[in-house]
Amino acid sequence: MTMVPVRARPSLALMLKEKRVTRAPYPFVSREVETRPLDFAGDERHCRRMLEPWLYPVLTAVAFCTGFIDAIAGGGGLIMVPALLFAGIPPLHALGTNKAQSMCGTAVACANYARSGLFSWREHRWTVALVFVGAAAGVLVVQAIGSQSMGLVIPILLMAVALYVLLSPRMTDEDAQERIGDTAYKPLAGAIGFYDGFFGPGTGSFFTSSLVGLRGMGLTRATALTKLFNLTSNVASVIVFAIGGKILCLLSLCMALGAMAGGWAGSHSAMRFGARLIRPLLVILSLGLTARLLWGYFSG
């Protein structure tokens, strides 16, 4: 009589593990990745496969809107970064891709302001250098430690900006007496550049309000110079994010087309309407950013 060994029955935990299907945590990922766990540390090709094709034109249209807003008051990241995250792009890739498309839109707006004679980059070249270094350092730091600690501090600063823009009589197109000189402003500009690389929301508002309140510039001229500083911090951020492989090139290219069109339209609108358009948008964007950041802080 031959003894036949009885194969051990698999445990319930093992059966459940084999049958469990990991669903993608985002609503617009392709079906091919819904049946396996997602590894957000993967390369660009994996992130690109996650996106449904129709998201490319949709995000390009969003980039047009954010480019228009950025060219006037800044704060387009309030719209763009959540849109990228909602589309299923990992956080660091969303930040890098947003910086790449924003850089293109800001470049167009900056060129329009420069052609109108609202600023000279040579006059501010050392400030630009400090902004560049600060932004690059900010990106390196945020990739190392994250930015959660800023969740409650920044809304307070943005609320202060909104109140200043709303109540200050200096928020016009007329130049006023400066309170600090160019040399004293350079370290502050570098610090705002660091903040842009580290966290980002409200950078344009901080640059514009500080240039008006401390350097005595008219609102339109301050907005134009803000675009130069924004472009500098964006270039630095894009370089560091690209080295780290955190930019989706095809999506960035599509969105850049929308951002450039929006930057062109926004800069022309700002030069045409001046403080009448810039001032209310600064208030709205500052308050919107404050509400968004506070909601994210307390709901998370």
Side-chain angles (χ1 to χ4, degrees), residues 131-166:
V131 171
F132 184 93
V133 173
V139 175
L140 292 174
V141 171
V142 75
Q143 292 190 63
I145 67 173
S147 59
Q148 290 80 3
S149 60
M150 306 293 286
L152 194 57
V153 177
I154 301 306
I156 297 174
L157 296 178
L158 285 168
M159 182 66 72
V161 168
L163 291 174
Y164 179 80
V165 173
L166 189 62

Side-chain angles (χ1 to χ4, degrees), residues 2 9 64 103 182 207 268:
T2 305
R9 295 178 61 186
F64 173 86
M103 177 185 69
D182 183 60
F207 271 129
H268 278 283

Side-chain angles (χ1 to χ4, degrees), residues 2 38 46 52 64 91 94-95 104 127 130 187 195 205 233 246 265 286:
T2 305
L38 293 177
H46 172 68
E52 297 284 1
F64 173 86
L95 290 175
C104 297
T127 308
L130 283 176
Y195 164 75
S205 300
S233 61
K246 303 301 182 185
S286 296

